[in-house]
Amino acid sequence: MSLYSSGTSAASSAGSSVSSTTKPSEIDGLLAGAGYRVRSSDLRHVAQRLERLDAAMVNSPAEVSQLASDAVHYNPSDIASWVDSLLSELNQTASLPSDLPELPELMVGPGLNQTVLAEDAWTDHDAPQHQQLNNQFPVMTAMEEDSGIRLVHVLLTCAESVQRGDLAFAGSLIEDMQSLLTRVNTSCGIGKVAGYFIDALSRRIFTPQGVGFGGGVGLDPAYENEVLYHHFYEACPYLKFAHFTANQAILEAFDGHDCVHVVDFNLMHGLQWPALIQALALRPGGPPLLRLTGIGPPSPDGRDSLREVGLRLSELARSVNVRFAFRGVAASRLEDVKPWMLQVNPKEAVAVNSIMQLHRLLGSEPSRNSPIEMVLGWIRNLNPKIMTVIEQEANHNQPGFLDRFTDALYYYSTMFDSLEACTLQPEKALAEIYIQREICNVVCCEGSARVERHEPLAKWRGRLGQAGFRPLHLGSNAFKQASMLLTLFSAEGYCVEEKEGCLTLGWHSRPLIAASAWEAPLALPDANSPAAAPGIFVNPHSNPPINSL
Amino acid sequence: MMAASNEVNLNESKMVVPLNTWVLISNFKLAYNLLRRPDGTFNRHLAEFLDRKVPANTKPVLGVFSFDVIIDRSTSLLSRIYRPADGEQPQLNIADLEKPVTAEVVPVIIFFHGGSFAHSSANSAIYDTLCRRLVSICKVVVVSVNYRRAPENRYPCAYDDGWAALNWVNSSSWLQSKDSKVHIYLAGDSSGGNIVHHVALRAVESDIEVLGNILLNPMFGGQERTESEKRLDGKYFVTIQDRDWYWRAFLPEGEDRDHPACNPFGPKGNFLEGIKFPKSLVVVASLDLIQDRQLAYVKGLEKAGQKVKLLYLEQATIGFYLLPNNNHFYTVMDEISNFVGSDC
């Protein structure tokens, strides 16, 4: 930490902002606290680039407004690459002023400036991020009564007793909580969600292990789930955001390809696809041949629900002149799907779309040849042009029950809070049941029955990087459209945020769902070399990615 | 010609701030240039995309934890509360968040972030970090208000939100000191400093006592161009042109910069003689182009017989307090500590 002294030249300022113990490859800690990643050793270069950009903007004010409205921005935390991308946009219309001194080390344009982010960019700061996420609170209303707070206190004490194995004591607390419930407002806020958690805890305490979530109304659970899912889709914007953001990224990835194939890991009613089909129909140059492979659970009663959805989508595609082929793959679990079932053609551009499915492949502990590794492995071998991954932004797969319970309490409190704004019925009521099922699974189930194993974005980044995927950054255009979508559909309070190339949707300041995009380039011939270094930034609009190995 | 003088400007500013500060503020300057449209509209989507935000964290980090509260559902008014952690607490649960403060007197600072009324939020990384530093250095509770911004929400929305926050803090029993009163201070930088003045003014008519105002490089203006504006235009990250843009975005349509919101002691201003206005600490940076307006504000308070301390910082630019890498940062923190500590 340096002391300020007046009249210091830039050169010694550079020296003075780095302490003697800082390694040059380290990120400047003070800028990191402001949300920016710049290596201490790069500060001078970045400053020069900022000066160049300033000069370029001063010299071409007309181009600046075009830049402001048309340019797509990516990953603003990486100041160096952000500034370079702006410089290259400006260079296309204006020339650099010639009176600036020549700076031989300065590179302008795409090329080298898509810097290979150091390993630390992805892993170093994950730890504090992870820590932070551990203790996300619901945004509290200012009207929380004492009883509400007391209720939460007892809930956490109860969960802690469950973790210790003292089920007798935990059971006695259930009664206390039920009576406290009568003194709080159970129609909203903490009272509402507490009820579901008390219910889930009592199931866990009083029912034998292995019981599935929910208590169905006697209908086929998969069908029921579809109905609930549809209402959740209507009642709040989380799924719409997921579909919208994924489609945007897929559309961009398919640019220039005539044969494209989308693999949907959870077809449901195919709600995501009409918008993509229509967007492809309107594509300049005409639509590609679109194949869609939809994965879903087998139907019990002889119906082929996958095929029915496929038929509806085919009709839509035909009506907008998009050549379309559908294939359904019935599987109860994603790990039962084998790549040959997807019949991917090597000439196709493939998009793999996973909306809240990958977490179902996780177990409590990392293990070799686990389902997640296996599935990520075969996805990678398909060399998809893009894989869109949308997951709950939560830490519900921790080994300790109390930690899991606490996180879930706060996560779902926030989600329920956001649902309050919905006035549609029965959408809202059924959406609540949909969420309640998730809660039950997180709280009551263990082993293979517990499928809602949500992990935060930071962990997925690490996992996907290790499996050989490279991030594709979602940019300001996707951000803008997602924000606009929200103002159209939803109440005040939802917010979209950008974090290192991914987008999150949250309620007030708590992100609840995270969207990211990935690609898996062709595997290298050398079996001993590591998979493509994680963290390579690729701008899908630029030239083909430079192979860094 | 333009480029040459701009180059001079860039070099001047690089001479007086550490390199990482220069990078930070220049980055903001360039981003903000893209966001302000000549027709007075603002590229809000891009602004939100570019702004670096951080979540609240109930797990104490360097002795401070934070959580968000909705103060007013009808306007979605959020505030982020920062508190010092109590000893060895590894994990806080909800019952602890609003645990009554234990010390005899705990000053509560209601903080309004800067951004010229248009930029930033309570959860912007730079302000989250600043508030955390305030808590750990000055031993206070901080309530950072996420007020509505221009141009979508013009005067008086930001002041209304400040007023709502003041009322909420005043009536939060868990923020009371041992004397059963909440010891409230208002603080803010840039537009936040301006909000401090106007919220304090509103409080005068009520029975809410504000113990002190802290204005860090407060944003004031006026129709006339002052000497410091002309002398420092474009030299240290800020231009007269951008200041004008922000006033046009905040003030009611058709109003000029002598509107009392912008120029509180100007021709249309209010006079504060004889009223019980809080004592003020006003920090002015010598390289801030609006310093003449800030100094005029201090004079205005003095002439009205109000208690005010001016801290004039030589060779300081806007945003010097965003990174703790200069003496001025520590000077200001000490002054704030003393300012809020002297009422025990």
Side-chain angles (χ1 to χ4, degrees), chain A residues 191-303:
Chain A
K192 178 148 218 174
V193 76
Y196 290 125
F197 276 87
I198 294 169
D199 186 57
L201 271 173
S202 81
R203 265 177 223 266
R204 188 186 175 104
I205 295 167
F206 300 124
T207 338
Q209 279 298 338
V211 69
F213 57 81
V217 268
L219 291 173
D220 161 53
Y223 172 71
E224 233 178 50
N225 203 44
E226 270 180 37
V227 170
L228 294 174
Y229 184 90
H230 202 137
H231 287 87
F232 179 68
Y233 176 90
E234 294 294 344
C236 46
Y238 303 106
L239 289 176
K240 294 181 196 107
F241 165 78
H243 293 175
F244 192 83
T245 308
N247 284 347
Q248 171 86 11
I250 293 172
L251 192 63
E252 287 178 22
F254 281 170
D255 193 25
H257 292 272
D258 291 323
C259 291
V260 303
H261 185 167
V262 174
V263 177
D264 187 359
F265 275 3
N266 189 26
L267 185 69
M268 288 287 185
H269 295 162
L271 290 172
Q272 181 171 352
W273 307 117
L276 182 70
I277 292 171
Q278 282 163 339
L280 286 171
L282 294 172
R283 186 168 93 154
L289 163 64
L290 168 67
R291 289 181 53 209
L292 173 66
T293 300
I295 298 171
S299 336
D301 52 359
R303 285 169 56 227

Side-chain angles (χ1 to χ4, degrees), chain A residues 397-526:
Chain A
N397 196 28
Q398 297 167 82
F401 178 72
L402 178 60
D403 285 337
R404 225 160 59 225
F405 183 86
T406 309
D407 269 31
L409 183 61
Y410 299 144
Y411 179 86
Y412 289 107
S413 285
T414 309
M415 190 168 265
F416 266 94
D417 202 43
S418 75
L419 250 192
E420 279 313 299
C422 171
T423 50
L424 298 170
Q425 291 289 14
E427 282 81 353
K428 179 173 170 181
L430 292 173
E432 290 182 5
I433 298 179
Y434 175 86
I435 301 172
Q436 186 205 8
R437 292 198 168 185
E438 261 185 36
I439 294 173
C440 261
N441 190 267
V442 175
V443 173
C444 307
C445 298
E446 291 297 343
S448 57
R450 178 153 58 92
V451 293
E452 300 297 347
R453 295 180 179 268
H454 314 141
E455 286 189 347
L457 185 57
K459 274 194 144 164
W460 283 111
R461 269 202 251 265
R463 222 182 258 290
L464 291 169
Q466 287 230 309
F469 291 88
R470 301 199 304 208
L472 288 173
H473 289 184
L474 301 173
S476 55
N477 50 351
F479 179 95
K480 174 177 176 170
Q481 295 192 45
S483 301
M484 282 167 52
L485 175 82
L486 284 177
T487 49
L488 274 180
F489 282 114
S490 313
E492 280 272 334
Y494 287 104
C495 58
V496 184
E497 282 179 21
E498 186 278 350
K499 190 142 190 128
E500 291 177 70
C502 305
L503 298 187
T504 61
L505 172 63
W507 175 249
H508 288 128
S509 53
R510 164 75 208 253
L512 293 174
I513 196 165
S516 59
W518 306 80
E519 65 169 4
L522 284 167
L524 299 161
D526 178 3

Side-chain angles (χ1 to χ4, degrees), chain A residues 351-371:
Chain A
V352 173
N353 183 73
S354 166
I355 309 240
M356 307 187 321
Q357 297 306 302
L358 290 185
H359 64 254
R360 305 170 82 86
L361 296 167
L362 297 173
S364 312
E365 279 127 60
S367 57
R368 311 206 93 248
N369 302 319
S370 54

